[in-house]
């Protein structure tokens, strides 16, 4: 949560402004970096002042204070990503993440091997974030002159745009985390652990639309800001592509829920299979929602974004307050699906009002035979006594073949995917 508050909407605003005026990279970067550093320092101080009053044991409070330094460094490390995004070099952003993760894993291995204890384990977070920050700024120097400009006259208009987006990001995080928070209060700790395992798959899957739309964001921003007709085509194709990925992924998660949970968490968390299968449907809705939310950001529709996020959060809290006491983690999973469905409908309507576009339903309908072919393949292998992993490759081929036959995917699409 601190990570989202530290975000302050700065990466989104910086990326949007760079897409509009790439020649101002040094000026915009220096101004927003000053805002990033000052804002992160203030928020870190406020958080450290809050920690002693949190209702947790002493060792948890110490760990929170230690991890907070890693959160702030992580926010700084994410700052140059806007420049990678502008120049379509998200491979560099991935390299930064990979380096930080490798350092973190190596440090965790050392802590476990040397039995250094809980505090040393938590301390791996700021060290990994520091490595990411140093590498990120070093790689970004080819795109801008790293500097800090305390030009508040230039920063205030950008900050006015950034703070509402930061609020939207925070509301979005609460939307995704409120069920876990309420489970931790309303149900035994075991329920939270089971749900956390199931929910982790949804969280990791959402990286995919994030990566795709991060690459698309500068292009979409330029087109929709200029009200260019090509923007509608880009938005429509983005929706089609994400649906093409989400549907087979959701089917695979549903069919492979049992071996996936066993692989990640072991047999003790076998009860996570049920909520994971329910959350597979939420995965499709979250993917479908993503391009329209990004379009609202590109159009600077701050009020619409805040309204949609606040409404989704209120619905989530209300449904969870009823479902969790009665149905535990199963109720929380169903609530997630319902809130994602309502959120998709609301964001779609707001994006359509701000930037009228037309979606062609034929593409989504042509996915149905491909989805059916994939599901039937999994079912056939299960009936033959080969459930789980043995069916994955044949099921994926069945989906791909049916999608190509139904012209969901064309030869032009394949050339584009296999090319640059």
């Amino acid at each position: 949560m601190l990570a989202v508050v530290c975000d302050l909407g700065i990466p989104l605003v910086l990326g949007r402004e760079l897409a509009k005026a790439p020649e101002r990279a040094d000026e915009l970067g220096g101004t927003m970096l000053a805002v990033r550093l000052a804002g992160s320092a203030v928020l870190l101080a406020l958080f450290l002042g809050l920690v002693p009053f949190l209702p947790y044991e002493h060792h948890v409070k110490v760990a929170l204070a230690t991890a907070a330094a890693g959160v702030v460094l992580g926010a700084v490390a994410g700052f140059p990503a806007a420049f990678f995004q502008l120049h379509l070099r998200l491979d560099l952003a991935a390299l930064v993440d990979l380096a930080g993760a490798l350092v973190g894993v190596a440090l965790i291995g050392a802590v476990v091997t040397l039995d250094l204890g809980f505090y040393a384990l938590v301390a791996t977070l700021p060290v990994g974030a520091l490595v990411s920050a140093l590498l990120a700024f070093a790689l970004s120097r080819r795109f801008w002159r790293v500097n800090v400009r305390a030009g508040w006259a230039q920063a205030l208009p950008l900050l006015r745009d950034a703070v509402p987006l930061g609020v939207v990001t925070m509301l979005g995080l609460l939307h995704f985390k409120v069920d876990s928070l309420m489970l931790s209060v309303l149900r035994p700790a075991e329920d939270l652990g089971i749900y956390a395992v199931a929910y982790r798959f949804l969280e990791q899957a959402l990286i995919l639309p994030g990566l795709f739309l991060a690459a698309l964001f500068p292009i979409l921003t330029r087109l929709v800001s200029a009200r260019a007709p090509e923007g509608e085509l880009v938005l429509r194709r983005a929706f089609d592509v994400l649906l093409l990925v989400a549907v087979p992924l959701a089917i695979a998660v549903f069919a492979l829920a049992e071996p996936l949970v066993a692989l990640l968490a072991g047999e003790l968390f076998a009860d996570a299979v049920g909520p994971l299968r329910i959350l597979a449907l939420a995965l499709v809705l979250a993917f479908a929602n993503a391009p329209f939310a990004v379009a609202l950001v590109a159009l600077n529709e701050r009020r619409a974004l805040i309204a949609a996020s606040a409404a989704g959060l209120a619905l989530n809290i209300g449904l969870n307050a009823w479902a969790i006491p009665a149905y535990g983690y199963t109720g929380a999973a169903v609530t997630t699906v319902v809130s994602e469905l309502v959120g998709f409908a609301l964001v779609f309507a707001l994006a359509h009002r701000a930037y009228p576009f037309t979606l062609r339903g034929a593409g989504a309908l042509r996915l149905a035979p491909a989805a059916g072919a994939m599901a039937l393949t999994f079912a056939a292998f299960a009936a033959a006594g080969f459930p789980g992993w043995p069916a994955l490759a044949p099921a994926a081929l069945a989906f791909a073949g049916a999608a190509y036959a139904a012209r969901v995917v064309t030869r032009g699409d394949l050339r584009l995917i296999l090319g640059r």
Side-chain angles (χ1 to χ4, degrees):
M1 289 185 151
L2 176 63
V4 173
V5 175
C6 281
D7 178 90
L8 288 175
I10 290 173
L12 284 173
V13 169
L14 179 59
R16 189 188 70 205
E17 296 304 313
L18 286 172
K20 293 179 182 178
E23 70 280 359
R24 296 177 58 205
D26 290 352
E27 175 194 347
L28 289 169
T31 301
M32 295 306 285
L33 181 55
V35 174
R36 157 65 75 222
L37 294 174
S40 297
V42 170
L43 289 170
L44 177 61
L46 291 173
F47 182 79
L48 293 178
L50 175 66
V51 165
F53 302 99
L54 294 176
Y56 300 117
E57 297 177 6
H58 175 73
H59 67 278
V60 177
K61 294 179 180 179
V62 174
L64 284 171
T66 304
V71 168
V72 171
L73 286 169
V76 174
F79 181 84
F83 296 95
F84 303 146
Q85 188 180 42
L86 174 67
H87 295 277
L88 299 181
R89 292 301 307 273
L90 291 176
D91 55 315
L92 299 178
L95 178 61
V96 170
D97 289 342
L98 179 61
L102 289 175
V103 170
V105 170
L107 290 173
I108 289 171
V111 168
V112 172
T113 301
L114 300 175
D115 196 20
L116 299 179
F118 175 62
Y119 293 143
L121 183 67
V122 177
T124 63
L125 295 172
V127 176
L130 177 61
V131 171
S132 295
L134 294 174
L135 181 59
F137 278 91
L139 292 174
S140 71
R141 291 178 61 189
R142 68 187 71 181
F143 306 125
W144 71 303
R145 183 177 59 83
V146 178
N147 67 98
V148 178
R149 300 188 182 204
W152 294 109
Q154 292 79 21
L156 284 176
L158 299 174
L159 197 56
R160 278 196 294 267
D161 286 347
V163 171
L165 291 177
V167 171
V168 169
T169 305
M170 185 167 56
L171 290 173
L173 176 74
L174 288 172
H175 174 79
F176 279 105
K177 293 294 186 182
V178 71
D179 44 6
S180 296
L181 290 171
M182 295 179 72
L183 269 169
S184 70
V185 175
L186 299 174
R187 300 287 291 193
E190 289 79 3
D191 281 26
L192 176 60
I194 289 168
Y195 187 69
V197 169
Y199 204 86
R200 181 54 58 90
F201 290 98
L202 177 61
E203 288 180 326
Q204 296 301 314
L206 292 179
I207 293 173
L208 295 175
L211 289 172
F212 175 67
L213 292 170
L216 198 65
F217 184 67
I219 302 167
L220 187 62
T221 297
R222 283 193 289 267
L223 292 174
V224 301
S225 297
R227 302 286 171 171
E230 294 87 355
E232 180 179 349
L233 175 62
V234 171
L235 188 59
R236 185 165 61 239
R237 292 305 298 272
F239 175 76
D240 291 343
V241 167
L242 288 175
L243 211 57
L244 183 63
V245 174
V247 169
L249 183 60
I251 294 172
V253 168
F254 184 93
L256 301 174
E258 190 171 342
L260 283 172
V261 169
L263 179 66
L264 177 70
E267 297 299 329
L268 288 176
F269 289 88
D271 288 341
V273 171
L276 176 56
R277 284 178 169 154
I278 296 170
L279 291 172
L281 181 56
L283 187 152
V284 176
L285 295 168
F287 273 51
N289 185 32
F292 306 113
V294 168
L296 288 173
V297 173
L299 292 164
N300 200 22
E301 291 287 333
R302 294 167 293 179
R303 292 181 180 178
L305 284 165
I306 291 176
S309 300
L313 177 60
L315 175 66
N316 210 350
I317 292 174
L319 290 176
N320 275 312
W322 170 78
I324 287 176
Y327 302 103
Y329 46 76
T330 301
V334 173
T335 293
T336 297
V337 174
V338 173
S339 61
E340 284 297 320
L341 177 60
V342 174
F344 167 71
L346 183 57
V347 170
F348 177 87
L350 291 170
H352 188 271
R353 186 184 67 178
Y355 183 75
F357 56 85
T358 302
L359 281 186
R360 296 173 182 172
L365 290 176
R366 285 199 298 266
L367 271 177
M374 186 174 185
L376 287 174
T377 303
F378 271 117
F381 270 76
F386 298 99
W389 300 115
L392 180 58
L397 288 174
F399 179 88
Y404 185 77
R407 294 190 59 79
V408 177
V409 178
T410 65
R411 291 184 180 180
D413 295 330
L414 294 177
R415 283 195 296 269
L416 181 64
I417 292 169
L418 297 175
R420 182 174 181 272

